[in-house]
Amino acid sequence: MGAHTRETTRTPLQMAAFVLGIIFLAIGILGFIPGITTNYGALSWAGHHSDARLLGLFQVSVLHNIVHLLFGIAGVTLARTWTGARNFLIWGGAIYLVLWIYGLLISQTSPANFIPVNTADNWLHFLLGVVMIALGVVLSRRARARRPSSVI
């Protein structure tokens, strides 16, 4: 008997979740690389005192980088199924919009800024939230539109 190969085809919705998962993994890793993260010596576990900046712009901490890594793992894992990919994009986008609002409401110099976030992070969170939700909604609608309807 010959080897049986199973061909899996990812939908555009699953590809979007997978690609975003890979991007989050890369961001999490890059946050631990001196040079790509400026002021690397000022990288702290968490809190607004971390003065490390990914690409010299986005405030990061060890906790912030770990969150990116976990989000990336979730994206790659959930991209295995259509429902998982849709949930990752829509609910992940909602989480990013909550983070955006949180970042706008707290003082960047207060202990409440435990992740930490700065203005660049806040607006990136807004953009990510909108894009992820839009991808989740639009790509899932396209898939439903292509499904044959049952005839009664």
Side-chain angles (χ1 to χ4, degrees), residues 1 3 5 7 16 26 29 34 42 48 50 52 60 69 74 77 89 94 108 121 123 137 141 144:
M1 297 182 128
T5 58
E7 185 177 323
I29 292 166
H48 68 281
S50 183
V60 292
L69 291 170
T77 303
L89 292 170
Q108 291 180 3
D121 288 306
W123 292 105
V137 170
R141 282 186 183 162
R144 284 192 184 121

Short mmCIF file of all heavy atoms in Angstrom, two decimals, residues 1 3 5 7 16 26 29 34 42 48 50 52 60 69 74 77 89 94 108 121 123 137 141 144:
data_model
loop_
_atom_site.label_atom_id
_atom_site.label_comp_id
_atom_site.label_asym_id
_atom_site.label_seq_id
_atom_site.Cartn_x
_atom_site.Cartn_y
_atom_site.Cartn_z
N MET A 1 0.84 -1.18 0.00
CA MET A 1 0.00 0.00 0.00
C MET A 1 0.88 1.24 0.00
O MET A 1 1.86 1.31 0.72
CB MET A 1 -0.89 0.04 1.23
CG MET A 1 -1.88 -1.09 1.33
SD MET A 1 -2.88 -0.84 2.78
CE MET A 1 -4.46 -0.98 2.04
N ALA A 3 1.71 5.34 0.50
CA ALA A 3 1.46 6.31 1.56
C ALA A 3 0.27 7.18 1.19
O ALA A 3 0.13 7.61 0.05
CB ALA A 3 2.70 7.18 1.77
N THR A 5 -1.65 10.55 1.49
CA THR A 5 -1.44 11.93 1.90
C THR A 5 -2.79 12.62 2.00
O THR A 5 -3.66 12.41 1.16
CB THR A 5 -0.55 12.70 0.89
OG1 THR A 5 -1.17 12.65 -0.38
CG2 THR A 5 0.84 12.11 0.83
N GLU A 7 -4.69 15.99 1.85
CA GLU A 7 -4.55 17.37 1.38
C GLU A 7 -5.56 18.23 2.13
O GLU A 7 -6.75 17.93 2.17
CB GLU A 7 -4.82 17.43 -0.12
CG GLU A 7 -4.58 18.81 -0.70
CD GLU A 7 -4.78 18.83 -2.20
OE1 GLU A 7 -4.43 17.86 -2.87
OE2 GLU A 7 -5.32 19.84 -2.68
N ALA A 16 -6.08 34.02 6.77
CA ALA A 16 -5.95 35.31 7.45
C ALA A 16 -5.59 35.10 8.92
O ALA A 16 -4.69 35.76 9.44
CB ALA A 16 -7.25 36.11 7.32
N ALA A 26 6.04 36.49 15.41
CA ALA A 26 7.24 37.24 15.03
C ALA A 26 7.41 38.48 15.90
O ALA A 26 8.52 38.77 16.37
CB ALA A 26 7.17 37.63 13.56
N ILE A 29 8.69 37.48 19.32
CA ILE A 29 10.12 37.12 19.28
C ILE A 29 10.97 38.37 19.11
O ILE A 29 11.97 38.56 19.80
CB ILE A 29 10.39 36.10 18.15
CG1 ILE A 29 9.73 34.76 18.49
CG2 ILE A 29 11.89 35.94 17.91
CD1 ILE A 29 9.64 33.79 17.33
N PRO A 34 17.68 42.49 21.05
CA PRO A 34 18.31 43.81 21.17
C PRO A 34 18.60 44.38 19.78
O PRO A 34 18.98 43.65 18.87
CB PRO A 34 19.60 43.53 21.93
CG PRO A 34 19.39 42.20 22.59
CD PRO A 34 18.46 41.44 21.70
N ALA A 42 16.47 48.31 29.28
CA ALA A 42 15.40 48.84 30.12
C ALA A 42 14.14 47.97 30.04
O ALA A 42 13.10 48.34 30.57
CB ALA A 42 15.07 50.27 29.71
N HIS A 48 4.76 50.26 33.44
CA HIS A 48 5.07 51.44 32.64
C HIS A 48 6.53 51.87 32.74
O HIS A 48 6.98 52.71 31.98
CB HIS A 48 4.15 52.59 33.03
CG HIS A 48 4.39 53.12 34.42
ND1 HIS A 48 3.91 52.47 35.54
CD2 HIS A 48 5.05 54.21 34.85
CE1 HIS A 48 4.26 53.15 36.61
NE2 HIS A 48 4.96 54.21 36.22
N SER A 50 9.03 50.02 31.99
CA SER A 50 9.80 49.41 30.90
C SER A 50 9.96 50.44 29.80
O SER A 50 8.97 50.96 29.25
CB SER A 50 9.07 48.18 30.35
OG SER A 50 9.86 47.58 29.35
N ALA A 52 11.78 49.86 27.05
CA ALA A 52 12.15 49.20 25.80
C ALA A 52 11.09 49.50 24.74
O ALA A 52 9.90 49.59 25.05
CB ALA A 52 12.25 47.70 26.02
N VAL A 60 7.30 47.97 25.03
CA VAL A 60 7.13 46.55 25.31
C VAL A 60 7.75 46.19 26.66
O VAL A 60 8.57 46.92 27.19
CB VAL A 60 7.76 45.65 24.21
CG1 VAL A 60 6.99 45.78 22.90
CG2 VAL A 60 9.23 45.93 24.02
N LEU A 69 3.26 36.42 21.89
CA LEU A 69 3.55 35.02 21.58
C LEU A 69 2.32 34.14 21.79
O LEU A 69 2.00 33.29 20.94
CB LEU A 69 4.72 34.51 22.43
CG LEU A 69 6.09 35.11 22.11
CD1 LEU A 69 7.11 34.73 23.17
CD2 LEU A 69 6.55 34.67 20.72
N ALA A 74 -2.30 31.13 19.56
CA ALA A 74 -3.76 30.99 19.42
C ALA A 74 -4.17 31.12 17.96
O ALA A 74 -4.97 30.33 17.45
CB ALA A 74 -4.48 32.03 20.28
N THR A 77 -3.03 28.04 15.93
CA THR A 77 -3.79 26.86 16.34
C THR A 77 -5.24 26.95 15.88
O THR A 77 -5.78 26.00 15.32
CB THR A 77 -3.72 26.69 17.87
OG1 THR A 77 -2.36 26.61 18.26
CG2 THR A 77 -4.47 25.46 18.33
N LEU A 89 -10.31 35.77 14.78
CA LEU A 89 -10.32 37.09 14.16
C LEU A 89 -11.32 38.03 14.83
O LEU A 89 -10.99 39.17 15.17
CB LEU A 89 -10.62 36.97 12.66
CG LEU A 89 -9.50 36.32 11.84
CD1 LEU A 89 -9.98 36.02 10.43
CD2 LEU A 89 -8.26 37.19 11.82
N ALA A 94 -11.90 42.04 18.95
CA ALA A 94 -12.63 42.69 20.05
C ALA A 94 -11.70 42.93 21.25
O ALA A 94 -11.75 43.98 21.89
CB ALA A 94 -13.82 41.83 20.46
N GLN A 108 -0.55 56.77 31.16
CA GLN A 108 0.59 55.94 30.75
C GLN A 108 1.66 55.85 31.82
O GLN A 108 2.52 54.98 31.77
CB GLN A 108 1.17 56.45 29.43
CG GLN A 108 0.23 56.22 28.27
CD GLN A 108 0.77 56.73 26.95
OE1 GLN A 108 1.89 57.21 26.87
NE2 GLN A 108 -0.05 56.63 25.91
N ASP A 121 1.22 52.12 20.62
CA ASP A 121 0.54 50.84 20.89
C ASP A 121 -0.97 51.00 20.80
O ASP A 121 -1.66 50.16 20.21
CB ASP A 121 0.88 50.32 22.29
CG ASP A 121 2.29 49.80 22.42
OD1 ASP A 121 2.68 48.93 21.63
OD2 ASP A 121 2.99 50.27 23.33
N TRP A 123 -2.90 53.06 19.15
CA TRP A 123 -3.46 53.20 17.80
C TRP A 123 -3.21 51.96 16.96
O TRP A 123 -4.02 51.62 16.09
CB TRP A 123 -2.98 54.50 17.15
CG TRP A 123 -3.61 55.63 17.89
CD1 TRP A 123 -3.01 56.46 18.79
CD2 TRP A 123 -5.00 55.97 17.91
NE1 TRP A 123 -3.94 57.31 19.33
CE2 TRP A 123 -5.16 57.05 18.82
CE3 TRP A 123 -6.12 55.49 17.25
CZ2 TRP A 123 -6.41 57.63 19.06
CZ3 TRP A 123 -7.37 56.07 17.49
CH2 TRP A 123 -7.50 57.13 18.39
N VAL A 137 -15.49 39.03 9.68
CA VAL A 137 -16.86 39.19 9.18
C VAL A 137 -16.91 39.02 7.67
O VAL A 137 -17.70 38.24 7.14
CB VAL A 137 -17.43 40.56 9.61
CG1 VAL A 137 -18.74 40.86 8.91
CG2 VAL A 137 -17.61 40.61 11.12
N ARG A 141 -18.53 35.80 5.60
CA ARG A 141 -19.69 36.03 4.72
C ARG A 141 -19.44 35.49 3.33
O ARG A 141 -20.32 34.91 2.71
CB ARG A 141 -20.02 37.53 4.63
CG ARG A 141 -20.74 38.05 5.82
CD ARG A 141 -21.16 39.47 5.61
NE ARG A 141 -21.79 39.99 6.80
CZ ARG A 141 -21.95 41.26 7.06
NH1 ARG A 141 -21.52 42.16 6.18
NH2 ARG A 141 -22.54 41.66 8.15
N ARG A 144 -19.92 31.77 3.34
CA ARG A 144 -21.34 31.40 3.42
C ARG A 144 -22.03 31.63 2.08
O ARG A 144 -22.89 30.86 1.69
CB ARG A 144 -22.04 32.19 4.52
CG ARG A 144 -21.70 31.70 5.88
CD ARG A 144 -22.62 32.30 6.93
NE ARG A 144 -22.19 31.85 8.23
CZ ARG A 144 -21.81 32.64 9.21
NH1 ARG A 144 -21.83 33.94 9.05
NH2 ARG A 144 -21.44 32.15 10.36
#
